[in-house]
Amino acid sequence: MKLTTTAGLALALTTCASLLLGSSSALAQAYPNKPITMIVPWPAGGSTDRHLRALADLASKHLGQSIVVQNQPGGGGTLGPGNMALAAKPDGYTIAQYPMGMLRIPHMQKTMWHPLNDFSFIIGVSGYTFGFVVKGDSPYKSFNEYIEAARKAPGKIDYGSTGTGTSPHLLLEELAAGAGVQLNHVPFKGNADLMAALLGGHVMAGSDASGWDKYVDGGQMRLLATFGEKRTKRWPNVPTAKDLGYNVIGNSPYGLVGPKGMDPAVMKTLHDAFKKAMDDPKHLEVLDQLNQDLWYRSGEDYAKWARETFAKDKLLIERLGLAAK
């Protein structure tokens, strides 16, 4: 019996849809079949680079493919993920760290990418321990001495951070506003650059994640304050900003994202591999060295957190007078 044109067209469309679904499923099952690039938006050698290289190495064993770390510093940690959102295919072969600056800098300046709509959220991983350090021979023996120096010389006492709009920058600006002092902020591309400048005497102090740990332990730097809810296990004698009377707390969670439009099956493969890597004792040992905690979030929960934080941090940016005009 001959099919009518309408019936034939319907059958053809159904067959085509089935083939497409089968093709998508087959692609997901075959993933990954080549190395994956992980963009770390900070210079090599810093705390984030140290952490994510170790995590990538462990996750690669579960994926059966190598993960190549590509450092793309700049823009307060937004250059690398932003470039990925604009140029990379959503095929799971390019992923990136997603620092807090991604949710803040769009409030401060125009960006070519949207921090929520242009990304696929894969997994929440960890959060930083932030601290304020000076060189080992600095005249400032305590954080309050540094603040008093700034009170006597408005705008002349400087500090470096990993970039404008990053958590270490906003923490210090929020604290300075509460203390009624004016500090001179010097932005750097990342932890490694900032530490080199501080050791070289080019900047008086540094506000950053715990990439300063080895310098503090070695005596080249002095840790004056940390910014967590409570004191760190590793440096229990160092006060928090909260201990010193400043209502400033921050740990700046981060995770991994891909470009928008990723196949959910590919995202699950990545999530599962990185979740196993996160729970590995070797990964926990690296976090302990950096004095960081696990901050696991599923892709769905991570995206929800990002939406809420983007709205909340808009108010912080406006309050500090840093919002785009």
Side-chain angles (χ1 to χ4, degrees), residues 42 47-48 51-52 55 97-100 123-131 167-168 171 208-212 227-229 232 235 249-256 278 283-284 286-297 302 305:
W42 310 101
S47 58
T48 310
H51 172 218
L52 292 180
L55 184 64
Q97 188 225 14
Y98 188 90
M100 283 279 284
I123 190 169
V125 177
S126 183
Y128 296 108
T129 291
F130 292 115
S167 293
L171 281 169
D208 194 12
S210 52
W212 32 255
F227 294 96
E229 181 70 45
T232 66
W235 300 282
I249 298 169
N251 65 350
S252 194
Y254 61 84
L256 299 174
M278 284 170 61
H283 175 246
L284 298 176
V286 172
L287 286 186
D288 192 53
Q289 290 170 6
L290 295 171
N291 212 73
Q292 293 183 199
D293 295 321
L294 279 178
W295 187 78
Y296 168 68
R297 297 293 185 278
Y302 190 20
W305 171 87

Side-chain angles (χ1 to χ4, degrees), residues 231-242:
R231 296 189 183 198
T232 66
K233 292 180 288 185
R234 190 161 167 188
W235 300 282
N237 295 327
V238 177
T240 65
K242 187 178 175 183

Side-chain angles (χ1 to χ4, degrees), residues 43-295:
S47 58
T48 310
D49 182 68
R50 286 164 58 191
H51 172 218
L52 292 180
R53 281 182 187 274
L55 184 64
D57 184 57
L58 292 167
S60 68
K61 295 177 173 62
H62 300 292
L63 290 165
Q65 290 288 341
S66 61
I67 299 176
V68 181
V69 172
Q70 189 178 97
N71 297 95
Q72 289 188 26
T78 65
L79 181 65
N83 286 344
M84 177 193 70
L86 296 172
K89 294 178 181 178
D91 55 9
Y93 290 102
T94 307
I95 60 176
Q97 188 225 14
Y98 188 90
M100 283 279 284
M102 297 296 293
L103 298 168
R104 291 169 168 170
I105 286 178
H107 294 309
M108 302 167 68
Q109 63 189 53
K110 183 175 175 58
T111 60
M112 298 286 288
W113 41 266
H114 190 280
L116 304 176
N117 301 338
D118 288 335
F119 296 91
S120 298
F121 290 80
I122 298 168
I123 190 169
V125 177
S126 183
Y128 296 108
T129 291
F130 292 115
F132 188 84
V133 291
V134 294
K135 202 175 172 187
D137 59 2
S138 168
Y140 309 120
K141 301 294 193 295
S142 70
F143 187 76
N144 284 337
E145 285 184 11
Y146 174 86
I147 292 296
E148 283 308 309
R151 202 181 304 283
K152 293 172 184 174
K156 294 186 178 179
I157 303 299
D158 65 35
Y159 74 96
S161 83
T162 45
T164 302
T166 60
S167 293
H169 170 220
L170 296 184
L171 281 169
L172 256 290
E173 292 305 310
E174 190 174 6
L175 189 149
V181 300
Q182 181 186 350
L183 300 172
N184 178 28
H185 173 234
V186 183
F188 290 84
K189 285 186 177 180
N191 170 268
D193 295 353
L194 171 56
M195 295 296 97
L198 182 54
L199 288 171
H202 306 297
V203 68
M204 296 178 183
S207 175
D208 194 12
S210 52
W212 32 255
D213 59 344
K214 55 190 175 184
Y215 301 113
V216 171
D217 288 344
Q220 296 103 314
M221 292 184 188
R222 189 182 303 132
L223 180 61
L224 301 186
T226 56
F227 294 96
E229 181 70 45
K230 56 187 180 181
R231 296 189 183 198
T232 66
K233 292 180 288 185
R234 190 161 167 188
W235 300 282
N237 295 327
V238 177
T240 65
K242 187 178 175 183
D243 289 336
L244 297 172
Y246 304 103
N247 189 28
V248 178
I249 298 169
N251 65 350
S252 194
Y254 61 84
L256 299 174
V257 297
K260 69 177 179 181
M262 285 180 65
D263 185 326
V266 169
M267 290 178 66
K268 184 178 187 308
T269 298
L270 284 167
H271 167 278
D272 292 352
F274 277 100
K275 179 63 170 69
K276 289 174 184 174
M278 284 170 61
D279 294 334
D280 191 293
K282 290 181 180 177
H283 175 246
L284 298 176
E285 185 179 331
V286 172
L287 286 186
D288 192 53
Q289 290 170 6
L290 295 171
N291 212 73
Q292 293 183 199
D293 295 321
L294 279 178
W295 187 78

